[in-house]
Amino acid sequence: MAEHIPCVYCLEIPPLDKDRKGTVRRCPLCRTEILETHGDASYRLRTDAGEEIHPPKSRFNRLLAFFGVGSSALVFFAVYLGWQGLRQRDVQLPLSPESPAAIQLAAVPEMEPVETTPPAQPVFVKAAVKAMASEPGAVAKPAPSTATPPAEPIAQTDPKKNLPTDSQVELFLAQAPELALVDFGKSEAEAKQSLTNLAQRMLKENNATADGFIHQLKKDRPDLAGLPFVLSPDCQLSDKDGQFLQASSLAVRTLFDRGGSSLSSRKRPAPGFEQTSPLFWSTWNSKGAEAVRVAWELSREQEGVRSASVSSRERLRRELPKGFDFSTHTLSALVQIISGEDTASRFGLVAYLRDISGPAATKALVQRALYDLEWEVRYAAIEALKKRPKSEYASELLDGFRYPWSVVAYRAAEAALALKRDDLVPKLVKLLDAPDPTAPFAKKIDGQSVWTVRQLVKVNHHRSCLLCHPSSDKRTDLVRGAVPNPYRPLPPSIDIYCPDLNIERTAGAVARADIIYLRQDFWARLPVENSGAWPKLLRFDFLVRELPLTDAEYAAWQARAAQESSDHRQAILYALRRLTNQDLGPSTAAWQRAYLSTSVPTWRSACLK
């Protein structure tokens, strides 16, 4: 039999450890059998060396064995009853009160009932039993603690009730408010004209004043005014970083679309190329540096052809600027592009980041651990963070507790527990007094104090190029890309990131990505109804905007806040209770006395047991 070794992606899946029920499928790359359980867990049916692991027996065999054992037990029980009947065949009459045996039994004193005390259970076992016995939605009673009880009663809560499933999270994100910069009309011609008019307006206003288009946009569009725009000079990359991004983005995007094939061709990727995207990682590890060099030459060649002052031969002789480091300077393009792709690609991104050191790679892993839609990717990111210095991701982890979307706060709590970050306890105690990230706050707008609230919103990545980047009319600008038309199929990546003259004339506008007005917090692929010529699954970028409230909306929020507890505070309390193995109740003062006083008592984390 030919040797069969699982691929790198299957090796990340744990092997089958015991009999489980589920559906068996095959990996499209290495044909390894994978068992998917009803709880959405996956197990590999081969060891790392390729040896087979037998899947669980079928349900029919198990039922047959069950009935066989049950029938044998019934026969044995019937035989036992018959034997007992033979032994007690003689019927015994009840004892007469005057008989010697009855008198002897009556002389035995009656024993007093003894009250027995059940064995003591550990604190966490008692709390778990009470929580399971309570009704859904009820609050479990607190377990007795060895610490000094606080003045206020303890209210133990289970945050798992507040944490939605991955499918519910995807549904929530699909219902988030969507923002758009321009109306594309009802036809390809109308969309092109709209993009052309918008690009000319951006150029005119930006040439008159630095970031003039964004300043005017905030006045004309109240729905977009609260977005976290970054203005000059912080919004523009340096020339060297822009050149690195130009070569890296073209190489990553084109290699990913083509599953590792050559960049030199402008042919459209073959149908079904998304199924071969995992091959990108093996190609990138072996030929990534060469791909970046070729991408740089292609982009310089197009610039040389378009520019009358410099010949294309001279452009081709130019190499990447000095100081280019493959692992460091391609990381930004990899994270930006791959984070919005399918689950297998994001899983491969985590595996790639695991072998790269530095704060940038660590920050990207924290993003996957807090924001990814799939729990497998989040788990892999947390496992990779265990080998990182704790100081590299402490601030990013604490920021997760303050993100306006409470799901991220609970994921930050789970990550802190899995990473055994008991060193964050004093900082988490300080966060208990911080304002709720979803609560309204006063903000000066046009000289007046207005109640404002933070809101999670999304933008269509392919429709919002000119919302995040300015338009470009100079062929020497860096990181230029053609803005796609929603009524035409998405072109190959080499046409978007390295457009020639024909493509520029066909597209309504060209953007430059070395200037970045908006930096999204995370990405997700969501289904789109009536997507037209574009795929059914499209990438959306998620940000937090600040939205002014009316007096009625503010009053409604106050009434709702008086009846509900803050999910963010519950997430912090959950992390504190698990990290310290103590329940000091919801009182902030009790936690401050225990962990922010000058003489901090000694304690042992529950994670270390």
Side-chain angles (χ1 to χ4, degrees), residues 262-423:
S262 173
L263 280 73
S264 58
S265 173
R266 287 189 178 271
K267 295 181 180 180
R268 186 176 300 277
F273 71 90
E274 64 276 359
Q275 298 178 2
T276 63
S277 58
L279 299 176
F280 162 81
W281 290 109
S282 60
T283 306
W284 182 258
N285 289 325
S286 59
K287 302 179 181 179
E290 177 65 17
V292 173
R293 186 190 65 79
V294 174
W296 175 254
E297 290 182 355
L298 285 174
S299 61
R300 296 293 90 184
E301 180 184 8
Q302 292 299 322
E303 183 180 333
V305 171
R306 292 191 297 259
S307 177
S309 59
V310 182
S311 64
S312 61
R313 179 173 298 180
E314 180 180 353
R315 293 288 183 183
L316 280 174
R317 284 200 300 266
R318 292 186 180 181
E319 297 182 354
L320 282 168
K322 294 182 179 180
F324 175 76
D325 181 74
F326 174 72
S327 298
T328 303
H329 294 111
T330 60
L331 189 59
S332 176
L334 274 172
V335 173
Q336 173 73 15
I337 294 173
I338 305 300
S339 294
E341 295 300 331
D342 59 324
T343 304
S345 301
R346 301 196 308 272
F347 197 90
L349 176 63
V350 172
Y352 179 81
L353 294 172
R354 181 181 55 196
D355 299 329
I356 299 179
S357 59
T362 304
K363 182 178 180 180
L365 286 172
V366 176
Q367 284 183 332
R368 293 297 93 211
L370 299 183
Y371 298 106
D372 202 279
L373 295 185
E374 303 293 337
W375 71 268
E376 295 94 342
V377 180
R378 297 197 300 270
Y379 175 80
I382 292 175
E383 289 296 314
L385 286 172
K386 290 182 178 180
K387 301 179 181 179
R388 302 277 172 156
K390 293 185 176 181
S391 58
E392 283 190 356
Y393 61 92
S395 59
E396 285 79 7
L397 199 58
L398 290 172
D399 290 342
F401 287 94
R402 302 292 302 154
Y403 195 75
W405 187 26
S406 60
V407 171
V408 178
Y410 281 111
R411 289 178 178 176
E414 290 181 337
L417 296 176
L419 296 169
K420 303 179 182 180
R421 294 304 306 265
D422 48 14
D423 58 303

Side-chain angles (χ1 to χ4, degrees), residues 6-21:
C7 63
V8 294
Y9 299 97
C10 289
L11 288 176
E12 298 289 346
I13 302 175
L16 186 68
D17 52 349
K18 62 180 181 180
D19 285 355
R20 300 178 185 269
K21 294 186 292 185

Side-chain angles (χ1 to χ4, degrees), residues 249-269:
S249 59
L250 176 60
V252 172
R253 184 75 267 180
T254 310
L255 275 182
F256 182 84
D257 285 357
R258 300 180 182 279
S261 61
S262 173
L263 280 73
S264 58
S265 173
R266 287 189 178 271
K267 295 181 180 180
R268 186 176 300 277

Side-chain angles (χ1 to χ4, degrees), residues 76-77 137 165 183 197 234 290 371 381 492 532 607:
F76 177 81
F77 185 70
T165 62
D183 182 10
N197 296 340
D234 300 329
E290 177 65 17
Y371 298 106
C607 296

